[in-house]
């Protein structure tokens, strides 16, 4: 249908465009939106402006040293009410539930091709740099307020010692399909996997830097210790052991996690994770892309280094290019299956706001063992 003659004027990144309001507010999102040269130049200019003033080195060191505390505080404040359950995962990453029926778990039009979505009031707004694409409209996870034993790094180390002395007896050792989610938060990836993948041979590991986050997972009504093992783990500490041996995992999931890590430490982390994979196993990643709305909304004085920022709550975020991620994974010996940019136009109906999101999605596989 042709647009009205006098369509209202909107502004995107400081640039004007005309749009049909009937079309604009009947839908919430468009996938694979092409950017004009003008739009890209405007985004680049905003990044140059907000990164022109770096935080002093002593403050940068404080954010690194106290990273765990900032994430603990984040989860104490938000518990499991900030992030949405990620049912879009099974369309983007069918490897998480290979035998799944496509009609399961809400594959419907309102999920916008099963990608990240927001609640109807908060679409596109950012709180402390966390964009509301991840904010939940209501709590769907029923948190039980009782005390549970946390699997600390010490317990993980104990399990690792048991592994070395008990002929392969470790959590999930009898499973035939093993998935690890790194940076599990309150469980918004883990629980959809456990609900959707009914493979009796499935075992899911999940870990987080934040003790509070792991506590939320273990105290959730959906947590099943016979199918899942949650533990605290510091990815940046290469002496911190995993409870499973190298070469034992089919899938490692990194959803908006690698971006929270100091860029200089990313390669070592990807190297460690790649060693956990079986031959043919894969790392699945979705994370922030360069010039995403969240990057453009940072103010001067929040930049730590190129494309790396600190939010108002002390947590940090990096914005990737495809080439940067490709270098990380191929240097770790993995082969590319997928590396794409998802540029998306989102609309907030209530506020009549339009905004662009930029995410990068990757799949990298460990080469199969050579035939003898």
């Amino acid at each position: 249908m042709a647009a009205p003659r006098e369509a209202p004027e909107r502004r995107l990144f400081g640039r004007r465009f005309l749009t049909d309001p009937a079309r604009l507010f009947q839908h919430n999102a468009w996938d694979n939106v092409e950017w004009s040269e003008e739009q890209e130049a405007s985004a680049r200019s905003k990044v140059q402006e907000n990164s022109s003033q770096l935080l002093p080195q002593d403050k940068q060191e404080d954010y690194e040293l106290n990273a765990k505390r900032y994430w603990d505080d984040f989860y104490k404040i938000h518990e499991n009410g900030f992030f949405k359950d990620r049912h879009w995962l099974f369309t983007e990453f069918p490897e998480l539930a290979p035998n799944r029926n496509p009609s399961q778990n809400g594959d419907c039009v309102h999920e916008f091709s099963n990608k990240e979505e927001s609640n109807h009031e908060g679409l596109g707004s950012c709180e402390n740099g966390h964009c509301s694409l991840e904010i939940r409209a209501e709590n769907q996870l029923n948190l039980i307020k009782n005390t549970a034993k946390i699997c600390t790094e010490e317990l993980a180390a104990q399990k690792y010692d048991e592994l070395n002395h008990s002929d392969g007896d470790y959590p999930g050792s009898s499973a035939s399909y093993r998935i690890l989610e790194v940076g599990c938060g309150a469980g918004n990836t883990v629980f959809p996997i456990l609900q959707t993948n009914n493979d009796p041979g499935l075992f899911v590991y999940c870990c987080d830097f934040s003790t509070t986050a792991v506590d939320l997972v273990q105290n959730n009504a959906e947590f099943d210790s016979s199918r899942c093992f949650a533990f605290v783990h510091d990815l940046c500490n290469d002496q911190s052991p995993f409870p499973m041996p190298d070469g034992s995992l089919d899938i490692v999931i990194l959803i908006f996690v690698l971006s929270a890590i100091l860029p200089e430490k990313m390669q070592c982390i990807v190297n460690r994770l790649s060693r956990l994979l079986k031959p043919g196993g894969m790392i699945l990643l979705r994370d922030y892309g360069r010039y995403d709305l969240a990057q453009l909304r940072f103010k001067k004085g929040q930049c730590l280094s190129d494309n790396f920022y600190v939010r108002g709550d002390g947590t940090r975020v990096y914005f990737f290019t495809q080439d940067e991620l490709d270098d990380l994974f191929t240097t770790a010996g993995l082969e590319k299956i997928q590396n794409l940019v998802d540029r998306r136009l989102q609309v907030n109906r209530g506020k009549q706001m339009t905004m662009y999101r930029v995410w990068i999605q990757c799949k990298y596989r460990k080469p199969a063992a050579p035939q003898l």
Side-chain angles (χ1 to χ4, degrees):
M1 183 174 73
R5 253 193 224 169
E6 296 184 11
E9 187 179 273
R10 306 285 182 201
R11 285 187 177 270
L12 288 173
F13 301 157
R15 114 186 201 329
R16 298 180 300 172
F17 74 107
L18 297 179
T19 186
D20 174 1
R23 179 175 183 271
L24 184 65
F25 296 109
Q26 283 175 356
H27 303 279
N28 282 336
W30 289 266
D31 291 330
N32 304 315
V33 175
E34 293 293 327
W35 283 31
S36 68
E37 291 182 9
E38 179 188 2
Q39 188 175 339
E40 181 124 4
S42 177
R44 190 180 305 112
S45 176
K46 284 184 178 291
V47 168
Q48 289 173 349
E49 180 183 353
N50 71 22
S51 59
S52 60
Q53 177 184 334
L54 299 183
L55 265 71
Q57 190 60 35
D58 59 334
K59 289 190 176 180
Q60 295 203 31
E61 291 173 0
D62 174 75
Y63 286 120
E64 174 67 12
L65 291 172
N66 294 297
K68 184 179 187 301
R69 176 171 64 82
Y70 288 120
W71 278 109
D72 276 337
D73 289 346
F74 173 85
Y75 285 108
K76 285 174 184 175
I77 293 169
H78 297 287
E79 294 191 339
N80 64 337
F82 191 86
F83 298 105
K84 299 192 69 173
D85 281 355
R86 295 160 171 157
H87 292 291
W88 56 265
L89 284 165
F90 306 103
T91 296
E92 299 302 327
F93 300 129
E95 298 85 358
L96 298 176
N99 300 318
R100 170 178 174 265
N101 184 325
S103 65
Q104 284 181 262
N105 282 306
D107 283 353
C108 53
V109 174
H110 78 269
E111 287 193 293
F112 313 125
S113 303
N114 301 287
K115 304 266 176 50
E116 298 274 358
E117 61 171 309
S118 306
N119 64 59
H120 64 285
E121 289 297 328
L123 187 61
S125 65
C126 293
E127 299 177 2
N128 290 323
H130 295 278
C131 280
S132 62
L133 69 119
E134 293 266 7
I135 298 177
R136 295 189 55 147
E138 59 186 64
N139 289 338
Q140 295 178 351
L141 302 178
N142 297 316
L143 187 64
I144 299 175
K145 296 293 186 179
N146 63 340
T147 302
K149 184 177 181 181
I150 296 297
C151 177
T152 61
E153 290 188 49
E154 288 76 14
L155 183 54
Q158 176 186 335
K159 293 291 183 181
Y160 185 80
D161 289 339
E162 291 173 0
L163 164 67
N164 290 335
H165 296 95
S166 58
D167 194 26
D169 184 17
Y170 58 93
S173 59
S174 61
S176 57
Y177 199 74
R178 302 186 190 92
I179 295 173
L180 166 65
E181 188 198 6
V182 178
C184 62
N188 304 96
T189 296
V190 169
F191 293 119
I193 292 173
L194 292 173
Q195 293 159 3
T196 302
N197 189 330
N198 57 7
D199 180 353
L202 173 72
F203 196 87
V204 180
Y205 306 89
C206 60
C207 65
D208 201 281
F209 193 29
S210 167
T211 303
T212 305
V214 175
D215 193 12
L216 288 167
V217 171
Q218 291 194 332
N219 280 294
N220 192 281
E222 300 289 336
F223 184 73
D224 181 354
S225 60
S226 69
R227 303 180 70 212
C228 184
F229 185 72
F231 59 102
V232 176
H233 186 85
D234 181 359
L235 276 178
C236 295
N237 178 4
D238 57 10
Q239 300 303 310
S240 179
F242 287 99
M244 77 291 289
D246 288 351
S248 63
L249 297 179
D250 295 276
I251 300 290
V252 172
I253 315 168
L254 293 167
I255 306 295
F256 298 100
V257 170
L258 200 58
S259 54
I261 292 165
L262 195 67
E264 303 92 274
K265 297 184 177 182
M266 290 179 184
Q267 187 64 67
C268 181
I269 287 167
V270 173
N271 292 348
R272 287 190 73 205
L273 293 174
S274 70
R275 290 197 293 268
L276 293 173
L277 292 172
K278 299 175 180 176
M282 290 204 295
I283 291 182
L284 310 179
L285 173 141
R286 191 169 175 87
D287 219 320
Y288 295 103
R290 192 69 48 84
Y291 307 144
D292 178 63
L293 172 71
Q295 182 177 18
L296 304 186
R297 286 190 171 182
F298 278 106
K299 307 299 182 185
K300 281 185 181 179
Q302 292 180 271
C303 188
L304 300 166
S305 60
D306 288 347
N307 305 298
F308 191 45
Y309 301 82
V310 62
R311 302 181 177 102
D313 60 7
T315 62
R316 297 168 298 173
V317 59
Y318 187 83
F319 297 88
F320 292 98
T321 65
Q322 290 172 279
D323 287 344
E324 287 172 339
L325 287 166
D326 188 67
D327 286 345
L328 287 172
F329 291 123
T330 55
T331 299
L334 305 179
E335 55 188 20
K336 179 173 70 174
I337 304 302
Q338 180 188 76
N339 183 325
L340 58 85
V341 175
D342 182 4
R343 291 185 176 89
R344 195 168 213 231
L345 172 62
Q346 291 186 332
V347 175
N348 182 322
R349 296 172 185 243
K351 296 182 180 180
Q352 297 192 1
M353 290 172 57
T354 54
M355 67 288 299
Y356 283 98
R357 304 313 311 270
V358 182
W359 300 306
I360 298 183
Q361 183 167 300
C362 296
K363 300 181 185 182
Y364 280 78
R365 182 171 57 198
K366 189 170 189 175
Q371 299 291 326
L372 298 178

